[in-house]
Amino acid sequence: MGKKGKAAARERREERRREVTLLRAVPYEPHQRWWDGLAPARAVAVVTGASRGIGYEISRQLARHGLHVVLASRDAARGRDAAEGILREEGTSAEWRQLDVADAASVEAFAAWTARTHGGIHVLINNAGVNFNRGADNSVEFAEQVIETNYFGTGRMIEAMLPLLKPSPYGGRIVNVSSRLGRANGRRNKIGDAILREQLLTDDCLSEELIDGMVTKFLEQVKQNSWSSIEWPQMYTDYSVSKFAVNVYTRLMARRLSDRSEGQKIYINCFCPGWVKTAMTDWEGNISAEEGADTGVWLALLPQEQATIGKFYAERREISF
């Protein structure tokens, strides 16, 4: 892409950024606020990786809209401080609970606590994730931890919390935080095996075995030091593979959940927050965490008649997988 093309793309992004800023200022009408229809109790939202960055901002915005938010994170001190920060805002309801999505026992304990304490939830935001690459770096030294947290951790949470999503006329909501870096046909970031890529993009071929097989193959090549940027994404390779797995897993779960009857529906989607100024990016992003959180909050709160399933979004618009 030449300088003119890059400038035009940058201007389009800025224009959409301005549009979304205006949309965020529009309050929800009373008939759109489905979560108010669950009174006398507040709707309960669980947000993982919520002690800082995008997770914290999603939590804060959901609490401002009137939901009770469970901020889940590994770090106790930061998690409690984050919850207390939200509670200082008038009318908000929030609490912190310890959770490590990479630890099956931790996830099981969290689900059991949620069932005892709240009886279930209405919204699950899978935000917890790690990325050890910065700037031009593309190390795969921590690939196993990245895949375990970002992909397997997300799947672990969904499986544990699905039974706890409360039936309602509005449907349960699952939102997976992902990335454009995990798109199948990016210019530099894609799965090089055309047959595997086609299978992963074809709903009828999708299975957990297929997705797990892809990430297992990648991790084996990393251990053998035989992985190639021709076969795997060129940028932030381990992170990109993990987010591609999250994307296709979202589609797989959407297919499994799509035939649920009225009152039992669960809407699952994923979104890219953009390049956000957070600790994960060393504060080098081009938008704030508040802006990055917006699409996730929007998806969680969509009025029932607008709710979608198995889609990928950025800046409140559907994008391709």
Side-chain angles (χ1 to χ4, degrees), residues 66-308:
L67 288 80
H68 174 77
V69 183
V70 179
L71 289 82
S73 69
R74 290 179 299 175
D75 189 290
R78 276 206 301 252
R80 291 192 179 97
D81 286 348
E84 289 171 4
I86 291 173
L87 287 170
R88 283 194 286 270
E89 298 190 34
E90 185 177 355
T92 58
S93 180
E95 64 185 316
W96 171 80
R97 189 71 182 177
Q98 198 279 334
L99 172 68
D100 181 357
V101 300
D103 182 342
S106 177
V107 171
E108 182 180 345
F110 179 86
W113 171 85
T114 303
R116 290 194 308 270
T117 307
H118 297 289
I121 66 172
H122 304 88
V123 175
L124 171 63
I125 310 287
N126 287 304
N127 167 74
V130 292
N131 175 25
F132 293 92
N133 287 295
R134 298 290 186 272
D137 293 345
N138 189 31
S139 167
V140 292
E141 180 182 355
F142 301 100
E144 190 168 358
Q145 184 177 345
V146 171
I147 297 292
E148 183 63 42
T149 302
N150 297 1
Y151 167 55
F152 288 114
T154 294
R156 199 174 284 122
M157 279 300 293
I158 290 173
E159 291 297 329
M161 303 304 287
L162 261 180
L164 299 181
L165 281 161
K166 291 184 176 181
S168 83
Y170 314 104
R173 313 296 174 94
I174 301 175
V175 180
N176 295 330
V177 180
S178 190
S179 172
R180 288 183 180 91
L181 291 174
R183 295 168 85 175
N185 289 305
R187 186 166 58 91
R188 294 175 62 189
N189 266 30
K190 64 181 180 182
I191 303 301
D193 184 334
I195 295 175
L196 175 60
R197 188 170 68 245
E198 184 63 27
Q199 289 176 326
L200 290 164
L201 288 173
T202 304
D203 285 347
D204 289 343
C205 296
L206 269 183
S207 67
E208 283 189 60
E209 292 75 17
L210 181 66
I211 306 169
D212 290 356
M214 176 195 68
V215 298
T216 298
K217 178 183 176 182
F218 170 67
L219 291 175
E220 286 176 349
Q221 290 185 6
V222 168
K223 288 179 181 178
Q224 298 165 2
N225 198 28
S226 62
W227 73 275
S228 166
S229 60
I230 296 174
E231 186 172 2
W232 304 104
Q234 297 177 38
M235 295 177 60
Y236 296 178
T237 301
D238 52 7
Y239 179 80
S240 299
V241 170
S242 75
K243 291 303 185 181
F244 179 66
V246 167
N247 289 345
V248 291
Y249 183 74
T250 301
R251 288 179 27 242
L252 174 64
M253 291 304 303
R255 190 179 68 183
R256 292 179 177 175
L257 297 171
S258 61
D259 60 354
R260 287 198 167 202
S261 59
E262 291 298 325
Q264 301 289 327
K265 290 192 176 297
I266 295 174
Y267 302 102
I268 181 169
N269 298 282
C270 54
F271 84 102
C272 174
W275 194 28
V276 182
K277 296 175 183 176
T278 65
M280 185 179 283
T281 64
D282 275 348
W283 312 102
E284 293 181 350
N286 53 24
I287 62 172
S288 67
E290 185 176 3
E291 292 173 289
D294 173 75
T295 299
V297 174
W298 172 76
L299 280 171
L301 300 184
L302 273 177
Q304 196 273 337
E305 63 273 12
Q306 297 177 25
T308 62

